[in-house]
């Protein structure tokens, strides 16, 4: 009897399975996935997800040098910037913000704390900072179309 009820539930309410598998929170968390262009329009980035964290790599352009020439580690200074992951370990906090991550700035070879805030479907504020977010710099990236 119990088996019959279970089968009936799946037949009568197939939409329930989809609702549990595809929650709105996951959809909102994944809203930053895809390609973005910096303010100057001279570099493109791909934001992707690995497990429950978000990362971003340079996919085109660099806004300057093509090698990581300012890296504090001399062994890494010849590494290509295109393909480099510069956004690391972001966690969605539920308020259009991804925090607890870091950003590597190839222009000075330093890594900063960072938070990402989705201002609209196609505008992403990227804020790098030292210590607290108040002491930092923001840039707005646009979704690549």
């Amino acid at each position: 009897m119990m088996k019959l009820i279970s089968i009936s539930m799946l037949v009568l309410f197939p939409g329930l399975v989809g609702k549990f598998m595809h929650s709105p929170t996951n959809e909102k968390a994944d809203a930053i996935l895809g390609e973005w262009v910096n303010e100057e329009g001279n570099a493109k980035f791909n934001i992707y997800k690995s497990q429950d964290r978000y990362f971003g790599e340079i996919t085109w352009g660099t806004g300057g040098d093509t090698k990581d020439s300012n890296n504090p580690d001399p062994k890494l200074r010849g590494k290509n910037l295109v393909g480099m992951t510069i956004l690391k370990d972001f966690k969605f906090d539920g308020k259009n913000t991804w925090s607890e991550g870091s950003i590597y700035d190839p222009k000075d070879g330093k890594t900063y704390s960072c938070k990402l805030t989705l201002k609209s479907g196609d505008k992403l504020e990227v804020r790098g900072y030292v210590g607290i977010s108040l002491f930092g710099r923001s840039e707005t990236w646009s979704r690549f179309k």
Side-chain angles (χ1 to χ4, degrees), residues 98-140:
W98 291 256
S99 56
E100 300 180 26
S102 65
I103 186 167
Y104 175 71
D105 185 353
K107 290 179 182 169
D108 65 11
K110 294 181 182 175
T111 300
Y112 299 93
S113 296
C114 186
K115 84 175 180 179
L116 308 172
T117 304
L118 192 61
K119 295 295 187 179
S120 69
D122 62 349
K123 297 292 180 192
L124 181 68
E125 182 183 80
V126 179
R127 182 156 185 83
Y129 58 93
V130 176
I132 59 172
S133 182
L134 182 65
F135 303 113
R137 180 176 63 91
S138 293
E139 182 173 298
T140 302

Short mmCIF file of all heavy atoms in Angstrom, two decimals, residues 98-140:
data_model
loop_
_atom_site.label_atom_id
_atom_site.label_comp_id
_atom_site.label_asym_id
_atom_site.label_seq_id
_atom_site.Cartn_x
_atom_site.Cartn_y
_atom_site.Cartn_z
N TRP A 98 28.54 38.21 -2.45
CA TRP A 98 29.42 37.06 -2.31
C TRP A 98 30.63 37.57 -1.57
O TRP A 98 31.27 38.54 -1.98
CB TRP A 98 29.81 36.51 -3.68
CG TRP A 98 28.66 35.88 -4.40
CD1 TRP A 98 28.44 34.54 -4.56
CD2 TRP A 98 27.56 36.53 -5.05
NE1 TRP A 98 27.28 34.32 -5.25
CE2 TRP A 98 26.72 35.53 -5.58
CE3 TRP A 98 27.20 37.86 -5.25
CZ2 TRP A 98 25.56 35.82 -6.28
CZ3 TRP A 98 26.04 38.15 -5.93
CH2 TRP A 98 25.23 37.14 -6.44
N SER A 99 30.96 36.95 -0.43
CA SER A 99 32.03 37.45 0.41
C SER A 99 32.98 36.33 0.81
O SER A 99 32.87 35.21 0.32
CB SER A 99 31.44 38.13 1.65
OG SER A 99 30.59 37.22 2.33
N GLU A 100 33.90 36.66 1.70
CA GLU A 100 34.91 35.74 2.21
C GLU A 100 35.92 35.31 1.15
O GLU A 100 36.65 34.34 1.32
CB GLU A 100 34.28 34.48 2.85
CG GLU A 100 33.38 34.78 4.01
CD GLU A 100 32.76 33.53 4.61
OE1 GLU A 100 33.34 32.45 4.49
OE2 GLU A 100 31.67 33.66 5.19
N GLY A 101 35.96 36.05 0.03
CA GLY A 101 36.88 35.71 -1.04
C GLY A 101 38.05 36.66 -1.11
O GLY A 101 38.22 37.55 -0.28
N SER A 102 38.87 36.44 -2.14
CA SER A 102 40.03 37.30 -2.35
C SER A 102 40.18 37.59 -3.84
O SER A 102 39.66 36.86 -4.68
CB SER A 102 41.30 36.63 -1.82
OG SER A 102 41.59 35.46 -2.55
N ILE A 103 40.89 38.67 -4.12
CA ILE A 103 41.19 39.04 -5.50
C ILE A 103 42.68 39.31 -5.60
O ILE A 103 43.27 39.97 -4.73
CB ILE A 103 40.37 40.27 -5.96
CG1 ILE A 103 40.60 40.53 -7.45
CG2 ILE A 103 40.64 41.49 -5.10
CD1 ILE A 103 39.61 41.52 -8.07
N TYR A 104 43.28 38.77 -6.64
CA TYR A 104 44.69 39.02 -6.93
C TYR A 104 44.75 40.14 -7.96
O TYR A 104 44.10 40.07 -8.99
CB TYR A 104 45.35 37.75 -7.47
CG TYR A 104 46.77 37.97 -7.91
CD1 TYR A 104 47.78 38.18 -6.97
CD2 TYR A 104 47.11 37.98 -9.26
CE1 TYR A 104 49.09 38.40 -7.37
CE2 TYR A 104 48.42 38.19 -9.67
CZ TYR A 104 49.41 38.40 -8.72
OH TYR A 104 50.70 38.61 -9.12
N ASP A 105 45.54 41.17 -7.67
CA ASP A 105 45.71 42.29 -8.59
C ASP A 105 47.07 42.16 -9.27
O ASP A 105 48.11 42.42 -8.65
CB ASP A 105 45.62 43.61 -7.84
CG ASP A 105 45.68 44.82 -8.77
OD1 ASP A 105 45.93 44.64 -9.99
OD2 ASP A 105 45.47 45.94 -8.28
N PRO A 106 47.08 41.75 -10.55
CA PRO A 106 48.36 41.58 -11.24
C PRO A 106 49.14 42.88 -11.41
O PRO A 106 50.35 42.85 -11.61
CB PRO A 106 47.97 41.03 -12.62
CG PRO A 106 46.53 40.69 -12.56
CD PRO A 106 45.95 41.38 -11.38
N LYS A 107 48.46 44.03 -11.30
CA LYS A 107 49.16 45.31 -11.48
C LYS A 107 50.14 45.59 -10.35
O LYS A 107 51.15 46.25 -10.55
CB LYS A 107 48.14 46.45 -11.59
CG LYS A 107 47.36 46.40 -12.88
CD LYS A 107 46.34 47.51 -12.97
CE LYS A 107 45.55 47.37 -14.26
NZ LYS A 107 44.40 48.25 -14.29
N ASP A 108 49.84 45.08 -9.13
CA ASP A 108 50.78 45.29 -8.03
C ASP A 108 51.26 43.98 -7.40
O ASP A 108 52.06 43.98 -6.47
CB ASP A 108 50.19 46.22 -6.96
CG ASP A 108 48.97 45.66 -6.26
OD1 ASP A 108 48.66 44.46 -6.41
OD2 ASP A 108 48.32 46.43 -5.53
N GLY A 109 50.75 42.84 -7.89
CA GLY A 109 51.19 41.54 -7.38
C GLY A 109 50.69 41.22 -5.99
O GLY A 109 51.24 40.36 -5.31
N LYS A 110 49.62 41.89 -5.57
CA LYS A 110 49.10 41.68 -4.21
C LYS A 110 47.72 41.04 -4.25
O LYS A 110 46.97 41.21 -5.21
CB LYS A 110 49.04 43.00 -3.45
CG LYS A 110 50.40 43.59 -3.19
CD LYS A 110 50.31 44.88 -2.42
CE LYS A 110 51.71 45.46 -2.22
NZ LYS A 110 51.66 46.76 -1.57
N THR A 111 47.41 40.34 -3.18
CA THR A 111 46.09 39.72 -3.01
C THR A 111 45.35 40.47 -1.92
O THR A 111 45.92 40.75 -0.85
CB THR A 111 46.24 38.22 -2.64
OG1 THR A 111 46.94 37.57 -3.70
CG2 THR A 111 44.89 37.56 -2.45
N TYR A 112 44.09 40.79 -2.20
CA TYR A 112 43.27 41.56 -1.27
C TYR A 112 42.01 40.79 -0.90
O TYR A 112 41.53 39.96 -1.69
CB TYR A 112 42.84 42.88 -1.92
CG TYR A 112 43.99 43.77 -2.30
CD1 TYR A 112 44.54 43.71 -3.59
CD2 TYR A 112 44.54 44.65 -1.39
CE1 TYR A 112 45.61 44.52 -3.94
CE2 TYR A 112 45.61 45.46 -1.74
CZ TYR A 112 46.14 45.39 -3.02
OH TYR A 112 47.20 46.19 -3.37
N SER A 113 41.47 41.10 0.26
CA SER A 113 40.13 40.59 0.59
C SER A 113 39.19 41.21 -0.43
O SER A 113 39.46 42.30 -0.95
CB SER A 113 39.71 41.01 2.00
OG SER A 113 40.56 40.43 2.95
N CYS A 114 38.07 40.54 -0.69
CA CYS A 114 37.19 41.05 -1.73
C CYS A 114 35.77 40.62 -1.47
O CYS A 114 35.52 39.56 -0.87
CB CYS A 114 37.66 40.50 -3.09
SG CYS A 114 36.79 41.15 -4.52
N LYS A 115 34.85 41.45 -1.91
CA LYS A 115 33.44 41.06 -1.92
C LYS A 115 32.84 41.48 -3.26
O LYS A 115 33.26 42.46 -3.87
CB LYS A 115 32.68 41.61 -0.72
CG LYS A 115 32.16 42.98 -0.83
CD LYS A 115 31.32 43.32 0.39
CE LYS A 115 30.80 44.73 0.25
NZ LYS A 115 29.98 45.14 1.37
N LEU A 116 31.88 40.70 -3.70
CA LEU A 116 31.19 40.94 -4.97
C LEU A 116 29.74 41.23 -4.65
O LEU A 116 29.12 40.53 -3.86
CB LEU A 116 31.28 39.69 -5.86
CG LEU A 116 32.67 39.11 -6.08
CD1 LEU A 116 32.58 37.78 -6.81
CD2 LEU A 116 33.52 40.09 -6.87
N THR A 117 29.19 42.28 -5.28
CA THR A 117 27.79 42.63 -5.07
C THR A 117 27.12 42.80 -6.42
O THR A 117 27.55 43.62 -7.23
CB THR A 117 27.67 43.94 -4.26
OG1 THR A 117 28.39 43.80 -3.03
CG2 THR A 117 26.20 44.25 -3.96
N LEU A 118 26.08 42.02 -6.64
CA LEU A 118 25.33 42.11 -7.89
C LEU A 118 24.38 43.29 -7.76
O LEU A 118 23.44 43.27 -6.97
CB LEU A 118 24.58 40.81 -8.15
CG LEU A 118 23.98 40.64 -9.53
CD1 LEU A 118 25.06 40.66 -10.60
CD2 LEU A 118 23.21 39.32 -9.60
N LYS A 119 24.64 44.35 -8.52
CA LYS A 119 23.83 45.57 -8.46
C LYS A 119 22.60 45.45 -9.35
O LYS A 119 21.59 46.10 -9.09
CB LYS A 119 24.67 46.78 -8.88
CG LYS A 119 25.81 47.06 -7.94
CD LYS A 119 25.28 47.45 -6.59
CE LYS A 119 26.38 47.90 -5.66
NZ LYS A 119 25.89 48.29 -4.35
N SER A 120 22.69 44.67 -10.40
CA SER A 120 21.57 44.37 -11.29
C SER A 120 21.97 43.10 -12.03
O SER A 120 23.04 42.56 -11.78
CB SER A 120 21.32 45.52 -12.27
OG SER A 120 22.37 45.62 -13.20
N GLY A 121 21.14 42.65 -12.94
CA GLY A 121 21.46 41.43 -13.66
C GLY A 121 22.73 41.52 -14.48
O GLY A 121 23.36 40.52 -14.77
N ASP A 122 23.13 42.76 -14.83
CA ASP A 122 24.30 42.91 -15.68
C ASP A 122 25.38 43.83 -15.13
O ASP A 122 26.29 44.23 -15.85
CB ASP A 122 23.88 43.36 -17.08
CG ASP A 122 23.21 44.72 -17.08
OD1 ASP A 122 22.88 45.24 -16.00
OD2 ASP A 122 23.02 45.28 -18.17
N LYS A 123 25.32 44.18 -13.84
CA LYS A 123 26.34 45.02 -13.20
C LYS A 123 26.80 44.36 -11.91
O LYS A 123 25.99 44.02 -11.05
CB LYS A 123 25.79 46.42 -12.87
CG LYS A 123 25.38 47.22 -14.08
CD LYS A 123 26.56 47.61 -14.94
CE LYS A 123 26.10 48.41 -16.15
NZ LYS A 123 27.13 48.58 -17.14
N LEU A 124 28.11 44.17 -11.80
CA LEU A 124 28.71 43.52 -10.64
C LEU A 124 29.75 44.44 -10.02
O LEU A 124 30.72 44.83 -10.69
CB LEU A 124 29.36 42.20 -11.06
CG LEU A 124 30.01 41.36 -9.96
CD1 LEU A 124 28.94 40.82 -9.01
CD2 LEU A 124 30.80 40.21 -10.58
N GLU A 125 29.55 44.82 -8.76
CA GLU A 125 30.54 45.62 -8.06
C GLU A 125 31.58 44.68 -7.46
O GLU A 125 31.25 43.76 -6.72
CB GLU A 125 29.90 46.45 -6.95
CG GLU A 125 30.91 47.34 -6.23
CD GLU A 125 30.30 48.10 -5.09
OE1 GLU A 125 30.12 47.49 -4.01
OE2 GLU A 125 29.98 49.29 -5.27
N VAL A 126 32.84 44.94 -7.80
CA VAL A 126 33.96 44.16 -7.29
C VAL A 126 34.73 45.08 -6.36
O VAL A 126 35.26 46.11 -6.79
CB VAL A 126 34.87 43.68 -8.45
CG1 VAL A 126 36.04 42.88 -7.92
CG2 VAL A 126 34.06 42.85 -9.46
N ARG A 127 34.78 44.75 -5.07
CA ARG A 127 35.43 45.62 -4.09
C ARG A 127 36.58 44.88 -3.42
O ARG A 127 36.38 43.93 -2.68
CB ARG A 127 34.45 46.10 -3.03
CG ARG A 127 35.09 47.04 -2.03
CD ARG A 127 34.07 47.96 -1.38
NE ARG A 127 34.70 48.94 -0.50
CZ ARG A 127 35.23 50.08 -0.91
NH1 ARG A 127 35.24 50.39 -2.18
NH2 ARG A 127 35.76 50.92 -0.04
N GLY A 128 37.80 45.35 -3.70
CA GLY A 128 38.99 44.82 -3.04
C GLY A 128 39.34 45.71 -1.87
O GLY A 128 39.20 46.93 -1.96
N TYR A 129 39.81 45.11 -0.78
CA TYR A 129 40.10 45.91 0.41
C TYR A 129 41.13 45.23 1.31
O TYR A 129 41.41 44.03 1.18
CB TYR A 129 38.83 46.22 1.20
CG TYR A 129 38.07 45.00 1.66
CD1 TYR A 129 38.29 44.44 2.91
CD2 TYR A 129 37.13 44.39 0.83
CE1 TYR A 129 37.59 43.32 3.33
CE2 TYR A 129 36.43 43.27 1.24
CZ TYR A 129 36.66 42.74 2.50
OH TYR A 129 35.98 41.63 2.91
N VAL A 130 41.65 46.03 2.23
CA VAL A 130 42.58 45.53 3.25
C VAL A 130 41.89 45.72 4.59
O VAL A 130 41.45 46.83 4.90
CB VAL A 130 43.92 46.32 3.22
CG1 VAL A 130 44.83 45.86 4.34
CG2 VAL A 130 44.60 46.16 1.87
N GLY A 131 41.79 44.68 5.36
CA GLY A 131 41.16 44.78 6.68
C GLY A 131 39.65 44.78 6.58
O GLY A 131 39.02 43.74 6.56
N ILE A 132 39.07 45.98 6.52
CA ILE A 132 37.61 46.08 6.40
C ILE A 132 37.26 46.73 5.06
O ILE A 132 38.06 47.46 4.48
CB ILE A 132 37.00 46.88 7.58
CG1 ILE A 132 37.57 48.30 7.64
CG2 ILE A 132 37.19 46.16 8.90
CD1 ILE A 132 36.87 49.20 8.63
N SER A 133 36.05 46.46 4.61
CA SER A 133 35.60 46.91 3.29
C SER A 133 35.65 48.42 3.12
O SER A 133 35.75 48.92 2.01
CB SER A 133 34.19 46.39 3.04
OG SER A 133 33.74 46.77 1.78
N LEU A 134 35.62 49.15 4.21
CA LEU A 134 35.67 50.62 4.16
C LEU A 134 36.97 51.10 3.51
O LEU A 134 36.99 52.12 2.82
CB LEU A 134 35.54 51.17 5.59
CG LEU A 134 35.53 52.69 5.74
CD1 LEU A 134 34.28 53.27 5.09
CD2 LEU A 134 35.55 53.06 7.22
N PHE A 135 38.06 50.36 3.73
CA PHE A 135 39.36 50.74 3.20
C PHE A 135 39.66 49.93 1.94
O PHE A 135 40.34 48.91 1.98
CB PHE A 135 40.47 50.49 4.24
CG PHE A 135 40.23 51.24 5.52
CD1 PHE A 135 39.94 50.55 6.69
CD2 PHE A 135 40.26 52.62 5.55
CE1 PHE A 135 39.72 51.24 7.87
CE2 PHE A 135 40.04 53.31 6.72
CZ PHE A 135 39.76 52.62 7.89
N GLY A 136 39.09 50.38 0.84
CA GLY A 136 39.29 49.64 -0.39
C GLY A 136 38.92 50.43 -1.62
O GLY A 136 38.69 51.63 -1.57
N ARG A 137 38.83 49.70 -2.73
CA ARG A 137 38.51 50.31 -4.02
C ARG A 137 37.52 49.41 -4.74
O ARG A 137 37.64 48.19 -4.71
CB ARG A 137 39.80 50.44 -4.83
CG ARG A 137 39.64 51.06 -6.19
CD ARG A 137 40.98 51.23 -6.88
NE ARG A 137 41.67 49.99 -7.14
CZ ARG A 137 41.54 49.28 -8.27
NH1 ARG A 137 40.76 49.71 -9.23
NH2 ARG A 137 42.21 48.17 -8.44
N SER A 138 36.55 50.04 -5.38
CA SER A 138 35.53 49.29 -6.11
C SER A 138 35.64 49.54 -7.60
O SER A 138 36.07 50.62 -8.03
CB SER A 138 34.12 49.70 -5.66
OG SER A 138 33.89 49.31 -4.34
N GLU A 139 35.21 48.57 -8.36
CA GLU A 139 35.12 48.67 -9.81
C GLU A 139 33.83 47.95 -10.20
O GLU A 139 33.46 46.95 -9.58
CB GLU A 139 36.33 47.98 -10.44
CG GLU A 139 36.36 48.08 -11.93
CD GLU A 139 37.65 47.54 -12.52
OE1 GLU A 139 38.73 48.09 -12.22
OE2 GLU A 139 37.56 46.57 -13.30
N THR A 140 33.15 48.46 -11.20
CA THR A 140 31.92 47.83 -11.67
C THR A 140 32.17 47.10 -12.98
O THR A 140 32.64 47.72 -13.94
CB THR A 140 30.79 48.87 -11.85
OG1 THR A 140 30.58 49.52 -10.58
CG2 THR A 140 29.51 48.19 -12.29
#
